[in-house]
Structure formats: C-alpha cells, structure tokens
C-alpha cells in the first residue's frame, strides 16, 4: 500500500523450480552455471512457464539443462518447500526428483558443467572440508536446505 497516493500495488512474483535430482546409486545431480566460479555447484533450477505446472517445469528444466529425465511416476517427484527470492521477485519451489537415467548432455549456453555427486561429496562441501570437490550454496538458500534434506535421509 502506497502511503503517498493511497494506492494498492500487487508486485509480480515469478514461480521458479529448484530440484535436487537423485539417481539409482543415490547420487545427486548438481550443476555449475557458466557465470559461476569453477568450484560452485548447486541444484538445477528454472522458471515455470505460463500455463505450466511446477512438476512439468521441473522435468523440462532438468532435461533442458542436463539431458537427464526425471521420472513421471508420482513417487519420482516430491515437493519439499519454498523460498521467496526477492531479486528478481521469485518464489523458489523446492523439490526432490528421481532420475530415469544418468547420461548428462549439457545445455552449454546455460551450464558450464554438471556431475553426479555422492553423499560424501555433499557432506564434505557442507562441512567446508579441504577434500570437498565443490563449494555448497550458502545456508540461507533453499538449495542448501535440499542438500541437508537429502543428507538426512
């Protein structure tokens, strides 16, 4: 509500999905965007398109960015929570997905690299150990919480 002209405003919020994809060997698919530092890896994410469900967006984004397909059974995709992300006005919808396969084919315009990481790799990164193969997202992010959820399973 604007106190100057007494008008009401309803800012736009764009839904986006963010997903930790697991494979049958209990590894997590993590990627590094082209603009990130070489050691930074996170879960895959992207905007929900107009008329698209969150579930369809997860499957589309993961396949577009990595070539990996998330299964279509109800148990292959689980909603875990959300996080408002004020810049650029997003609502991040956090999910865990089950991969149908493990072959990675990158969209090189968006992703610099993607790999399957073990629980031990992710634990090492969360603990900021010297032997960690990557740097985890910071604790205030939903990506970090997805890492924590997976490790706790």
């Amino acid at each position: 509500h604007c106190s100057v002209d007494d008008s009401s405003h309803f800012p736009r919020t764009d839904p986006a999905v963010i997903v930790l994809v697991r494979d049958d060997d209990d590894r997590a698919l993590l990627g590094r965007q082209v603009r990130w530092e070489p050691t930074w890896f996170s879960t895959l994410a992207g905007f929900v398109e107009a008329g698209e469900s969150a579930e369809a967006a997860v499957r589309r984004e993961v396949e577009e960015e990595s070539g990996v397909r998330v299964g279509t059974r109800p148990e292959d995709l689980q909603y875990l929570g959300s996080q408002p992300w004020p810049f650029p006005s997003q609502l991040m919808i956090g999910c865990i997905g089950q991969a149908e396969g493990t072959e990675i084919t990158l969209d090189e315009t968006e992703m610099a690299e993607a790999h399957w990481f073990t629980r031990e790799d992710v634990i090492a990164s969360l603990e900021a150990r010297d032997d960690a193969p990557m740097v985890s997202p910071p604790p205030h992010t939903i990506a970090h919480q997805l890492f924590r959820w997976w490790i706790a399973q």
Side-chain angles (χ1 to χ4, degrees), residues 109-126:
T109 60
E110 198 168 339
M111 302 297 292
E113 56 185 312
H115 303 287
W116 292 99
F117 290 87
T118 66
R119 281 178 188 264
E120 184 54 39
D121 292 336
V122 173
I123 290 168
S125 73
L126 290 170

Side-chain angles (χ1 to χ4, degrees), residues 80-138:
L80 288 182
S82 63
Q83 176 185 29
W85 199 253
F87 305 103
S89 302
Q90 297 171 312
L91 176 64
M92 303 295 291
I93 301 165
C95 301
I96 300 288
Q98 182 64 39
E100 290 183 342
T102 59
E103 185 175 338
I104 297 171
T105 306
L106 286 184
D107 171 357
E108 294 179 359
T109 60
E110 198 168 339
M111 302 297 292
E113 56 185 312
H115 303 287
W116 292 99
F117 290 87
T118 66
R119 281 178 188 264
E120 184 54 39
D121 292 336
V122 173
I123 290 168
S125 73
L126 290 170
E127 294 174 351
R129 295 191 334 226
D130 290 337
D131 65 337
M134 62 173 182
V135 174
S136 287

Side-chain angles (χ1 to χ4, degrees), residues 1 4 6 20 23 28 30 36 44 55 62 92 97 105 109-110 113 120 133 138 145 147-148 151:
H1 187 78
V4 175
D6 203 32
L20 187 143
D23 71 0
L30 304 176
W36 291 356
L44 303 184
E55 297 85 358
V62 171
M92 303 295 291
T105 306
T109 60
E110 198 168 339
E113 56 185 312
E120 184 54 39
Q145 297 311 311
F147 280 17
R148 293 267 179 214
I151 294 306

Side-chain angles (χ1 to χ4, degrees), residues 2-80:
C2 179
S3 59
V4 175
D5 67 4
D6 203 32
S7 62
S8 293
H9 298 268
F10 300 94
R12 175 180 160 153
T13 300
D14 296 321
V17 292
I18 184 164
V19 58
L20 187 143
V21 178
R22 300 175 297 177
D23 71 0
D24 289 340
D25 293 327
D26 198 33
R27 298 176 302 171
L29 176 63
L30 304 176
R32 182 175 70 80
Q33 292 185 12
V34 293
R35 65 182 188 275
W36 291 356
E37 295 293 323
T39 56
W40 292 2
F41 282 84
S42 187
T43 52
L44 303 184
F47 286 102
V48 178
E49 294 180 355
E52 185 177 44
S53 70
E55 297 85 358
V58 164
R59 290 181 174 101
R60 177 185 52 75
E61 283 291 340
V62 171
E63 189 167 6
E64 283 178 3
E65 291 179 2
S66 70
V68 173
R69 294 181 58 123
V70 172
T72 58
R73 302 172 305 168
E75 62 268 24
D76 290 337
L77 190 57
Q78 179 181 0
Y79 167 79
L80 288 182

